[in-house]
Amino acid sequence: MANPPQPSLGYAVSITPSNPGTSNPHAEESPIPPPPSISPTPPRFPPPKLQQGQSPSPSIESSNVPSPANGVKSGSPIPHLSTPPGPPVFTSPVRPAAVPFRSSPASPQPVAFSSGSFLPTSSPPNLSNGSGELQQQISDGTENSVPTGELPYVLFSAHKILKQKKQANVPSLGFGALVSPGREVSPGPQIIQRDPHRCQSCGAYANIYSNILPGSGQWQCVICRELNGSEGEYVAPSMEDLRNFPELSSPVVDYIQTANKRPGFIPVSDSRISAPIILVIDECLDEPHLQHLQSSLHAFVDSLHPSTKLGIILFGRTVSVYDFSEESIASADVLPGDKSPTQESLKALIYGSGIYLSQIHASLPVAHAIFSSLRPYKLNFPEASRDRCLGTAVEVALAIVQGPSAELSRGVVKRSGGNSRIIVCAGGPNTYGPGSVPHSLSHPNYPHMEKTALKWMDQLGREAHRHNIVVDILCAGTCPLRVPILQPLAKASGGVLVLHDDFGEAFGVNLQRASTRAAGSHGLLEVRCSDDILITQVVGPGEEAHVDTHETFKSDSSLYIQMISVEETQSFSLSMESKRDIKSDYIFFQFAIQFSNVYQADISRVITVRLPTVDSVSAYLESVQDEVAAVLIAKRTLLRAKNYSDAVDMQTTIDERVKDIALKFGSQVPKSKLYRFPKELSLLPELLFHLRRGPLLGSIIGHEDERSVLRNLFLNASFDLSLRMIAPRCLMHREKGTFEELPAHDLAMQSDAAVVLDHGTDVFIWLGAELAADEGRSAAALAACRTLAEELTEVRFPAPRILAFKEGSSQARYFVSRLIPAHKDPPYEQEARFPQLRTLTTEQRMKLKSNFIHFDEPSFCEWMRSLKLVPPEPS
């Protein structure tokens, strides 16, 4: 599949949403509905390339102004869900893998994981098996049948690799890949129900690029070049017969074992809905917040499958575990919250007469009665000072999920039919009992107590993960939550922490999506690559792997990452370098993900990628995927921006990075000190400008809690959400319900139009004053915009907040602050990026100018000139 021509700075598309007056009647039945399909019509500039199998509501027509955030060179798909847990923090030094897993000595590769620790990797020796050069045996059709770097599970920042080490290892641009192990695509990988053939030397899997000797059935490993036997399985009369093996005809395959002998195994048809959900609810809420929470909880239990087991726990100064055996009244057993529950108290609870987990079909009226019985906080204490024993409540919830099996298993983890979930609904910080911190930051012992709380929360999260229990923390309200204390609990268990303005609509949607999102478990990611490549850093939801030693590979140099969970919402960012000048024509990468899916089938997903090497810098730059490169740069940058002071420093780092790319790969303007940015990377500088001024590094977000949550979400987010969090997508409403995609510049604020701005975790709808004055037109435009916003984020997790406001309102600042202030540019530069301006009358131009809020910051073109660079020209 050939790459589409690269659009430059902003082509426009028209999108027609589905009927705004209709709703999706299947939204609750299908937790992960298919994404909207986009059908292109004859374009003047090519629209973004879309993933196979999409069939949406919006239809796209190309016009002539591209959006820098959506000119997809890499064929990036429309987002499904979004947003994984935060990055791991490693405190222990790296330990080498146990012998005999790696029996031969090898020098370790420094692989910096998200905390700066190193994972064990090693460089494979130059192997020689005496077989000489083996001729490529599989048909040359392989050359054309596999798209270079175009696999939905792995996105490379470039589709070619420079042979010269000095040219390839320019750190300002860098080279790497985004790996999404749990991504769901249609059609999915080919399925193989047998053991894979693996290299006895390095552990790599036989694949589409392996050289095969059909006479003997031997195959040559693409990683270490060793010959391996296939126990006669690859013996074939002709090369064409070998194509009947899926692993030799497809770059992605799934090896599946469904025979499950573990205790607690539940049939596949019931496994996904058998895992219980326990709600752990803050009872220290004021009346307005409580009313919104009750509405969200009532809707939530109505959306659950009738066979879902539900538990309800409240926490304040005590822990109340509700009993579903009482139908007439809301009844609960109460435990103290000042300390962890004793084994005796938990045994009395579990073996007592109460029913604390009950299927919805049998207990729905009781659940509604419990929610209706909740009462607002009565004492006269500020929100931040109220006693909340969140840690104790989660401990009790863990014990309820495990039940009597926790004692009977004698330390052996019993697996239920899938990942159980504990969903914490919190309105304030954990200030009482284990894992808590004092109400006041000025407490003399606060630093020590904070350190103790962080360690305790991390241990609790790891205990939950050991029992396949995911802890999601959904927070709401205006009370500071001390996010750094709560984050380790969610992160270590494989869950997420999400902030909301209130317990209303967005909170309710996230409550439902948290309970239904697919999650695999026991994930292990193996990364192998040709000996010329060094993996230097990994960012993502994983940690140092403790690999079993039952498989012995004498020269295994792979990188192993223990995945906390396996979800479509997450990705790993891998940074790579060349170790030396490359002599071969191709570099090979193999990613193997071993995990158990939601139906408890054991899967080994093997992805093999081959990238060509080139001498030409121009050919390399043509293959660079601007958006993937921008996301990789952003993740490396955000990893170092631990607070606002760091974020400000990282803005300068972005400036220096852009200047260095221009110096290394661009050209100097004759008789000038200015440099031109390479035309092949025309989208990259504007994407990085969005990054430095947006919510991730800029000053749009004020509170450190919000900044911390956003940073953790971004570091593990899928490519689609990561890109949208960097650069917003701007869609202007046109006549007949269509939408035109424009660059995210403030020139889009035209008084007679409505604009939708999708910034990943937020979606804004802006109505121009002239349009708002016409009630009929504004109502129709608002309905169309809201429908489009809901469709764009239909399966995104966390669900973004959707805000609508009129031109000139105070809330409009949310919208304006995220747009590039292009109104400060000369008219010829404005018209170059916004050809629509050429059709405006003088009066319309004056109205457009009145919309601008004069922030003390440069436009994109001014920023480029301040770096002694010529702004890239849109075509």
Side-chain angles (χ1 to χ4, degrees):
M1 182 170 62
N3 286 339
Q6 169 68 16
S8 66
L9 277 186
Y11 66 94
V13 292
S14 294
I15 300 181
T16 307
S18 45
N19 188 345
T22 62
S23 60
N24 181 4
H26 304 291
E28 293 182 0
E29 296 174 18
S30 176
I32 307 179
S37 88
I38 297 181
S39 30
T41 58
R44 292 176 58 185
F45 287 87
K49 190 166 53 177
L50 300 170
Q51 192 61 36
Q52 185 179 6
Q54 294 175 326
S55 55
S57 42
S59 73
I60 290 191
E61 288 176 5
S62 251
S63 183
N64 64 341
V65 183
S67 164
N70 290 282
V72 180
K73 259 166 114 174
S74 62
S76 65
I78 294 293
H80 289 292
L81 302 181
S82 312
T83 321
V89 178
F90 304 137
T91 54
S92 59
V94 172
R95 296 184 295 277
V99 178
F101 188 81
R102 187 172 292 147
S103 57
S104 61
S107 57
Q109 291 184 8
V111 181
F113 219 88
S114 24
S115 67
S117 297
F118 297 107
L119 290 178
T121 60
S122 57
S123 307
N126 292 326
L127 301 171
S128 173
N129 57 18
S131 61
E133 288 297 321
L134 193 67
Q135 200 171 22
Q136 177 74 30
Q137 300 286 341
I138 289 189
S139 165
D140 291 337
T142 300
E143 298 281 340
N144 301 318
S145 63
V146 182
T148 303
E150 291 280 344
L151 297 175
Y153 303 99
V154 182
L155 299 174
F156 280 89
S157 61
H159 290 170
K160 295 177 182 177
I161 299 176
L162 281 167
K163 289 187 174 182
Q164 296 296 318
K165 174 185 174 181
K166 185 176 180 180
Q167 293 176 331
N169 292 350
V170 174
S172 53
L173 181 57
F175 173 74
L178 287 167
V179 184
S180 301
R183 182 163 198 160
E184 294 184 5
V185 297
S186 179
Q190 295 196 54
I191 293 174
I192 304 173
Q193 288 187 298
R194 58 171 168 79
D195 291 334
H197 292 292
R198 302 188 64 174
C199 176
Q200 296 304 304
S201 177
C202 71
Y205 294 73
N207 59 81
I208 188 172
Y209 303 111
S210 297
N211 297 322
I212 310 291
L213 294 173
S216 64
Q218 290 180 296
W219 60 278
Q220 187 182 34
C221 176
V222 298
I223 302 297
C224 68
R225 315 307 295 174
E226 288 282 356
L227 276 177
N228 295 272
S230 64
E231 298 179 352
E233 195 162 8
Y234 291 161
V235 174
S238 68
M239 300 305 302
E240 195 60 34
D241 291 327
L242 290 173
R243 292 198 168 278
N244 294 324
F245 292 94
E247 69 269 31
L248 303 183
S249 60
S250 173
V252 185
V253 292
D254 279 357
Y255 293 94
I256 296 183
Q257 294 180 353
T258 55
N260 195 324
K261 299 179 181 179
R262 298 180 181 86
F265 174 68
I266 295 176
V268 168
S269 59
D270 300 324
S271 64
R272 188 163 176 169
I273 58 177
S274 65
I277 297 171
I278 294 189
L279 296 174
V280 178
I281 303 168
D282 186 351
E283 65 178 2
C284 301
L285 303 179
D286 292 327
E287 188 162 359
H289 286 316
L290 179 61
Q291 289 177 354
H292 283 140
L293 177 60
Q294 286 174 314
S295 297
S296 295
L297 292 173
H298 285 303
F300 170 68
V301 294
D302 284 336
S303 72
L304 294 176
H305 190 280
S307 299
T308 302
K309 289 183 178 179
L310 179 70
I312 300 173
I313 294 176
L314 259 64
F315 67 93
R317 193 174 176 83
T318 59
V319 178
S320 302
V321 186
Y322 278 87
D323 183 359
F324 287 97
S325 65
E326 296 286 349
E327 297 184 5
S328 56
I329 59 173
S331 172
D333 291 321
V334 180
L335 299 173
D338 60 335
K339 59 185 178 181
S340 296
T342 64
Q343 289 299 317
E344 290 73 19
S345 61
L346 290 177
K347 188 179 295 186
L349 191 71
I350 294 170
Y351 287 97
S353 59
I355 300 175
Y356 307 109
L357 281 176
S358 180
Q359 291 185 331
I360 284 295
H361 71 82
S363 58
L364 185 59
V366 181
H368 283 303
I370 293 171
F371 298 146
S372 298
S373 70
L374 303 182
R375 295 294 178 262
Y377 188 78
K378 296 297 185 183
L379 300 179
N380 190 25
F381 289 106
E383 283 185 303
S385 300
R386 298 169 186 175
D387 290 337
R388 295 179 176 87
C389 58
L390 187 151
T392 308
V394 173
E395 283 188 292
V396 174
L398 289 176
I400 295 295
V401 172
Q402 295 174 60
S405 65
E407 183 178 341
L408 297 177
S409 61
R410 299 178 183 273
V412 177
V413 177
K414 267 185 72 174
R415 292 178 69 177
S416 61
N419 276 341
S420 305
R421 289 199 179 273
I422 295 173
I423 303 178
V424 180
C425 306
N430 182 28
T431 54
Y432 191 66
S436 65
V437 289
H439 303 150
S440 173
L441 293 171
S442 60
H443 189 284
N445 205 26
Y446 190 90
H448 171 73
M449 297 181 71
E450 181 183 44
K451 184 178 180 180
T452 303
L454 286 169
K455 183 178 180 181
W456 191 89
M457 283 293 192
D458 181 71
Q459 290 175 342
L460 183 62
R462 290 178 183 277
E463 177 66 14
H465 181 254
R466 196 172 75 88
H467 291 277
N468 293 334
I469 301 171
V470 175
V471 181
D472 292 322
I473 304 176
L474 306 185
C475 306
T478 57
C479 179
L481 289 149
R482 317 279 172 85
V483 164
I485 306 297
L486 299 178
Q487 193 73 259
L489 172 59
K491 181 174 59 179
S493 70
V496 297
L497 189 153
V498 186
L499 295 182
H500 305 83
D501 292 335
D502 53 44
F503 290 97
E505 180 182 2
F507 177 89
V509 171
N510 278 326
L511 194 59
Q512 295 182 30
R513 293 184 186 176
S515 67
T516 56
R517 75 182 194 273
S521 59
H522 301 82
L524 181 68
L525 171 61
E526 307 171 27
V527 184
R528 294 177 174 85
C529 49
S530 299
D531 190 42
D532 297 310
I533 298 297
L534 172 73
I535 300 174
T536 58
Q537 187 183 62
V538 179
V539 181
E543 59 185 12
E544 176 187 351
H546 301 282
V547 182
D548 293 334
T549 59
H550 65 278
E551 291 180 335
T552 303
F553 304 114
K554 58 186 179 183
S555 301
D556 186 10
S557 61
S558 58
L559 164 66
Y560 287 91
I561 303 168
Q562 189 71 52
M563 301 170 63
I564 298 175
S565 63
V566 184
E567 299 187 23
E568 186 174 8
T569 62
Q570 66 192 16
S571 70
F572 289 87
S573 166
L574 278 64
S575 299
M576 308 177 192
E577 290 181 356
S578 295
K579 292 195 230 175
R580 60 185 73 87
D581 289 349
I582 300 173
K583 301 290 193 290
S584 58
D585 293 331
Y586 295 99
I587 293 293
F588 295 92
F589 302 86
Q590 191 169 81
F591 308 88
I593 306 99
Q594 300 177 29
F595 66 100
S596 298
N597 68 3
V598 292
Y599 302 114
Q600 297 301 282
D602 292 330
I603 296 177
S604 295
R605 176 167 294 162
V606 181
I607 305 159
T608 309
V609 180
R610 182 182 67 180
L611 296 183
T613 58
V614 293
D615 291 304
S616 166
V617 173
S618 177
Y620 165 71
L621 292 177
E622 284 286 354
S623 78
V624 171
Q625 309 300 294
D626 300 65
E627 294 178 336
V628 180
V631 169
L632 287 168
I633 290 171
K635 286 180 184 279
R636 290 197 297 267
T637 304
L638 261 292
L639 190 64
R640 299 167 58 190
K642 294 180 172 61
N643 52 50
Y644 180 65
S645 176
D646 293 339
V648 174
D649 293 340
M650 290 303 102
Q651 294 177 20
T652 305
T653 301
I654 292 293
D655 295 346
E656 296 302 319
R657 185 184 295 275
V658 171
K659 286 171 61 176
D660 191 66
I661 293 173
L663 290 173
K664 295 292 196 307
F665 297 109
S667 59
Q668 189 170 5
V669 178
K671 300 179 181 180
S672 170
K673 294 183 179 180
L674 299 179
Y675 274 78
R676 294 188 185 278
F677 206 80
K679 65 180 184 299
E680 298 90 347
L681 308 179
S682 59
L683 291 180
L684 185 59
E686 188 162 332
L687 291 170
L688 296 180
F689 184 61
H690 274 295
L691 169 66
R692 80 181 299 281
R693 68 180 299 276
L696 293 172
L697 291 179
S699 57
I700 292 175
I701 291 179
H703 199 278
E704 198 57 41
D705 272 359
E706 295 177 272
R707 193 182 308 280
S708 175
V709 169
L710 203 65
R711 173 179 176 271
N712 280 285
L713 292 179
F714 176 78
L715 286 174
N716 299 326
S718 63
F719 165 72
D720 306 290
L721 182 65
S722 297
L723 177 63
R724 199 54 54 230
M725 290 174 74
I726 294 172
R729 186 181 186 189
C730 185
L731 299 153
M732 179 180 286
H733 180 258
R734 294 298 192 188
E735 298 299 326
K736 300 180 182 178
T738 60
F739 284 82
E740 182 179 13
E741 185 163 357
L742 302 172
H745 295 183
D746 58 6
L747 297 173
M749 296 190 301
Q750 299 175 24
S751 287
D752 62 343
V755 180
V756 176
L757 191 74
D758 180 3
H759 211 166
T761 55
D762 297 279
V763 178
F764 304 108
I765 300 172
W766 181 88
L767 297 177
E770 187 178 321
L771 175 66
D774 187 332
E775 291 187 12
R777 286 180 59 220
S778 65
L782 179 60
C785 289
R786 186 170 289 278
T787 300
L788 177 64
E790 290 172 354
E791 290 177 350
L792 289 174
T793 63
E794 187 175 19
V795 292
R796 189 177 298 176
F797 180 77
R801 62 175 178 172
I802 301 176
L803 298 178
F805 32 72
K806 297 179 182 178
E807 174 188 338
S809 65
S810 61
Q811 281 190 314
R813 291 175 297 173
Y814 289 117
F815 174 79
V816 180
S817 65
R818 295 166 190 251
L819 299 174
I820 291 176
H823 70 277
K824 304 173 78 173
D825 294 331
Y828 70 90
E829 288 185 339
Q830 293 181 11
E831 292 181 1
R833 287 171 168 75
F834 261 84
Q836 296 92 335
L837 295 178
R838 299 167 189 161
T839 64
L840 297 184
T841 64
T842 303
E843 182 181 0
Q844 288 173 322
R845 282 178 179 266
M846 294 301 296
K847 285 183 179 179
L848 181 60
K849 285 185 178 181
S850 68
N851 292 332
F852 303 138
I853 299 175
H854 294 275
F855 292 105
D856 186 21
E857 62 172 312
S859 69
F860 170 65
C861 293
E862 289 175 332
W863 174 67
M864 290 289 286
R865 282 191 285 268
S866 73
L867 301 179
K868 308 296 185 190
L869 303 177
V870 178
E873 296 180 4
S875 57

